């Protein structure tokens, strides 16, 4: 990946609806060059897809929590399958260290969050959980999908 590819990725991460014509003007290259670069990035798996990033009007209404999860040995696949069935589960990371998984939840109300935490803790294979409720976001440098 060269500098143009990186600049295209950053621009598309910020706003994936930006037209190839607008990107070409911004980076002072031909529209066909931008189109070819994007197609190559998609074909090689650098770009895995496009998504909608919810705005503050939606994200501020949702209550988020990070849950540190310890599981029984060799139960990871079964626990992960059960987590996929919970619509409040946004992200699951496997980890090394004192916990086995980090689960990010999002719910509409504290009651919904409480019920989801109870379901998660009751899953077969889960030994222990520790919940961290998100209060506010001070820094967010994430690039959606990366």
């Amino acid at each position: 990946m060269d500098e143009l590819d990186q600049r295209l990725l950053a621009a598309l991460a910020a706003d994936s609806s930006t037209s190839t014509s607008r990107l070409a003007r911004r980076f002072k290259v031909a529209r066909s060059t931008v189109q070819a670069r994007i197609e190559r990035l998609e074909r090689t798996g650098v770009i895995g897809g496009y998504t909608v990033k919810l705005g503050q009007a939606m994200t501020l209404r949702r209550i988020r929590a990070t849950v540190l999860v310890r599981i029984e040995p060799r139960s990871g696949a079964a626990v992960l399958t059960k987590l996929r069935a919970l619509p409040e589960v946004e992200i699951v990371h496997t980890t090394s260290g004192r916990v086995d998984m980090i689960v990010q939840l999002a719910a509409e109300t504290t009651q919904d969050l409480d019920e989801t935490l109870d379901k998660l803790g009751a899953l077969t294979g889960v030994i222990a959980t520790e919940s961290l409720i998100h209060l506010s976001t001070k820094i967010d440098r994430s690039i959606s999908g990366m």
Side-chain angles (χ1 to χ4, degrees):
M1 280 192 1
D2 64 12
E3 183 181 344
L4 178 58
D5 289 339
Q6 292 174 355
R7 291 169 60 196
L8 286 170
L9 283 175
L12 290 171
D15 183 1
S16 64
S17 67
T18 306
S19 70
T20 53
S21 299
R22 178 170 286 169
L23 291 169
R25 284 191 301 275
R26 182 184 307 169
F27 300 126
K28 297 177 178 40
V29 296
R31 189 197 63 72
S32 59
T33 299
V34 170
Q35 185 64 43
R37 294 289 186 110
I38 291 172
E39 287 173 1
R40 180 176 48 79
L41 292 168
E42 291 171 342
R43 189 175 57 255
T44 59
V46 174
I47 295 176
Y50 300 89
T51 186
V52 172
K53 183 175 180 180
L54 297 177
Q56 273 192 329
M58 282 298 292
T59 58
L60 289 177
R61 293 194 334 233
R62 295 180 60 84
I63 301 160
R64 286 196 160 64
T66 295
V67 185
L68 308 178
V69 182
R70 288 183 44 230
I71 60 172
E72 294 173 358
R74 295 176 296 286
S75 65
V79 170
L80 189 57
T81 297
K82 293 171 188 168
L83 289 173
R84 279 191 181 100
L86 298 174
E88 295 83 5
V89 173
E90 287 188 322
I91 300 171
V92 177
H93 300 282
T94 56
T95 63
S96 62
R98 68 178 184 87
V99 297
D100 302 296
M101 293 180 176
I102 298 174
V103 178
Q104 183 173 306
L105 303 176
E108 295 296 322
T109 67
T110 55
Q111 181 177 347
D112 292 340
L113 183 60
D114 190 35
E115 290 171 5
T116 302
L117 289 168
D118 287 344
K119 289 176 190 174
L120 197 157
L123 293 177
T124 302
V126 171
I127 296 171
T129 64
E130 180 181 347
S131 306
L132 308 165
I133 309 302
H134 299 201
L135 300 176
S136 64
T137 301
K138 303 298 184 185
I139 298 172
D140 183 355
R141 293 188 182 129
S142 63
I143 298 176
S144 184
M146 295 184 103

